[in-house]
Amino acid sequence: MRVLQPIDFAQKAKEMNTGNVIRADIRALAAYDVPSADGMVKLDAMENPFPLPPGIREALGRTVENLALNRYPAPSAPALKRCLREMMELPSSAAMILGNGSDELIQMLALAVATPDAVIMGVEPSFVMFHMIARLARVRFVGVPLKSDFSLDGAALLGAIAEHRPALIFLAYPNNPTGNCFDESIMEAVLKASTGLVVVDEAYYPFTPRSFKRHLGQYPNLLLMRTLSKLGLAGVRLGWLCGPEAVVNEIEKVRLPYNISVLDQAAAVVVLEQRAVLQEQVQEIVHQREYVRLQLAALSGVEVFPSEANFLLFRVPEAARIFDGLRQHGILIKNLTQAHSLLHDCLRVTVGASEENQAFLSAIKLLVGR
Ligand SMILES: *Cc1c(COP(=O)(O)O)cnc(C)c1O
């Protein structure tokens, strides 16, 4: 055998030709943009602003100290599942599957239904990952527009279901980025009309008393999805999906065996055992949400939409200028003016701690008055 010559990297790269190797639809995508928030008041990503108290942090430290990181994690995470089941009082008839964030569950669902003819359906505007992940899984996505007040268009949705027979429908409840909960009777009509799976994404469940949990035993096509991210553990990537065993067992086959790390499993259990702390934080966030909502609504020209989540969507003249102005004041929120035609002049602010909300309100008062 000849001794290998060092290769010319640039020449070899040209021969390899990324254009022939990577799918054209992926090359055409822009990477999911997470703007840098270094040193800014971060009100863009629906995080809980409060750190964990010292007692829980110490308990976390002691737990991590004793973990066997040389071993693979428990594949079905029984201790964590028990903890989640107890927390949400899940009926024993419902099965549960865990994801590395609910984003991964969305991906598993999309892969599980991906055939050349399959359709995934959602409403628009809603959580962008439904659409994004469908594209990555090469499943056609049909988005049905909401009404201009962001309520469900029942007739359009039922018409689209009859026309496209979606394998999977996603409905976020409350919806992101609009903050409202959809009409329950229309959602039930969707569950009845659809012969595919209907995922009710309750990512914002901590901030609203509404839930589809009680319907779990009633509709064999209903799946309920939740996450710890908005509750206060966005850094622990953990989402869970509940529903009939017959469906969940199939999704299990798509799950990578060790998708929830030893660290995530243990950390989630330690914090959830003392979840009263998180519930107090949630109460404070809901209280702050109402305060910020009233303050924003009092500004001339600003329209604030009702929210049952930990953020507020609002419409303001010259939204792009306001967004840039806030950034110059060191405050990062989300600019949705280009996201969908129904969101023209709309911005979304995550509810933060009192001093963060005050900084946001002082800055926007200056900017709107100008
Ligand atoms: C934030 C959000 C999620 C993502 O949750 P992760 O568990 O952090 O992946 C899912 N659905 C909706 C509607 C969200 O807003």
Side-chain angles (χ1 to χ4, degrees):
M1 212 176 100
R2 273 193 333 126
V3 175
L4 287 175
Q5 296 298 309
I7 62 156
D8 178 336
F9 186 91
Q11 176 60 31
K12 177 70 182 174
K14 214 194 274 167
E15 286 164 20
M16 185 185 82
N17 189 0
T18 314
N20 291 334
V21 178
I22 305 293
R23 276 160 46 182
D25 57 329
I26 289 181
R27 278 184 289 125
L29 286 177
Y32 188 76
D33 178 41
V34 180
S36 162
D38 268 0
M40 299 188 85
V41 176
K42 192 171 184 308
L43 301 176
D44 66 328
M46 281 79 88
E47 291 147 326
N48 175 332
F50 303 113
L52 290 169
I56 297 187
R57 291 202 235 175
E58 283 154 20
L60 275 170
R62 285 191 299 275
T63 301
V64 169
E65 197 171 75
N66 292 308
L67 291 176
L69 293 180
N70 54 319
R71 302 291 179 193
Y72 282 107
S76 68
L80 177 52
K81 274 190 185 168
R82 257 199 312 278
C83 189
L84 293 169
R85 279 185 167 278
E86 186 218 331
M87 177 171 82
M88 71 181 291
E89 296 171 8
L90 188 68
S92 57
S93 56
M96 179 186 284
I97 177 170
L98 305 184
N100 196 300
S102 32
D103 288 349
E104 194 194 27
L105 292 165
I106 300 168
Q107 187 181 49
M108 291 182 214
L109 287 159
L111 290 176
V113 304
T115 62
D117 304 323
V119 163
I120 295 179
M121 187 170 284
V123 294
E124 284 180 339
S126 187
F127 188 45
V128 290
M129 281 296 155
F130 301 148
H131 186 183
M132 183 76 191
I133 290 172
R135 270 166 82 167
L136 293 176
R138 285 202 154 151
V139 183
R140 188 156 70 92
F141 183 87
V142 174
V144 179
L146 296 173
K147 293 186 176 174
S148 61
D149 64 354
F150 307 128
S151 63
L152 278 186
D153 186 337
L157 194 52
L158 293 175
I161 290 169
E163 183 185 345
H164 299 287
R165 310 215 132 255
L168 189 55
I169 301 174
F170 286 106
L171 291 170
Y173 187 81
N175 189 38
N176 172 15
T178 57
N180 56 319
C181 280
F182 298 133
D183 183 294
E184 199 175 324
S185 59
I186 300 180
M187 288 178 58
E188 285 201 66
V190 167
L191 280 158
K192 286 178 190 151
S194 174
T195 50
L197 299 171
V198 179
V199 178
V200 176
D201 178 353
E202 296 188 342
Y204 297 95
Y205 81 88
F207 310 99
T208 177
R210 294 182 214 269
S211 170
F212 263 64
K213 195 183 74 180
R214 70 181 185 289
H215 294 301
L216 271 179
Q218 194 181 352
Y219 297 102
N221 54 345
L222 170 63
L223 293 167
L224 202 70
M225 190 165 69
R226 290 188 174 186
T227 171
L228 293 183
S229 295
K230 313 302 161 42
L231 177 65
L233 298 174
V236 173
R237 302 295 301 134
L238 191 81
W240 63 104
L241 186 76
C242 313
E245 206 167 330
V247 179
V248 170
N249 286 350
E250 297 306 318
I251 311 298
E252 268 289 351
K253 299 175 189 171
V254 182
R255 187 177 66 84
L256 295 175
Y258 304 116
N259 63 329
I260 314 295
S261 82
V262 169
L263 290 163
D264 285 339
Q265 290 188 29
V269 169
V270 168
V271 180
L272 291 181
E273 276 171 355
Q274 304 193 55
R275 62 183 170 275
V277 169
L278 298 179
Q279 274 146 8
E280 278 167 33
Q281 294 177 344
V282 162
Q283 272 178 21
E284 171 62 10
I285 292 166
V286 169
H287 172 79
Q288 288 289 324
R289 176 185 75 201
E290 291 314 300
Y291 174 76
V292 175
R293 185 176 65 78
L294 291 172
Q295 293 285 312
L296 272 180
L299 296 180
S300 91
V302 174
E303 181 186 7
V304 193
F305 296 96
S307 169
E308 299 195 39
N310 62 343
F311 60 84
L312 289 158
L313 181 76
F314 61 100
R315 178 167 286 139
V316 57
E318 301 183 83
R321 177 181 69 81
I322 303 285
F323 174 79
D324 288 336
L326 286 168
R327 210 163 42 178
Q328 276 154 25
H329 280 83
I331 294 155
L332 184 65
I333 65 168
K334 180 84 175 173
N335 182 359
L336 293 164
T337 54
Q338 306 288 329
H340 189 273
S341 54
L342 289 174
L343 294 173
H344 66 90
D345 277 332
C346 281
L347 304 176
R348 185 192 67 199
V349 63
T350 301
V351 178
S354 174
E355 58 278 13
E356 296 174 311
N357 301 332
Q358 289 299 349
F360 161 72
L361 288 167
S362 311
I364 197 166
K365 281 173 192 169
L366 285 176
L367 292 160
V368 167
R370 197 173 293 155

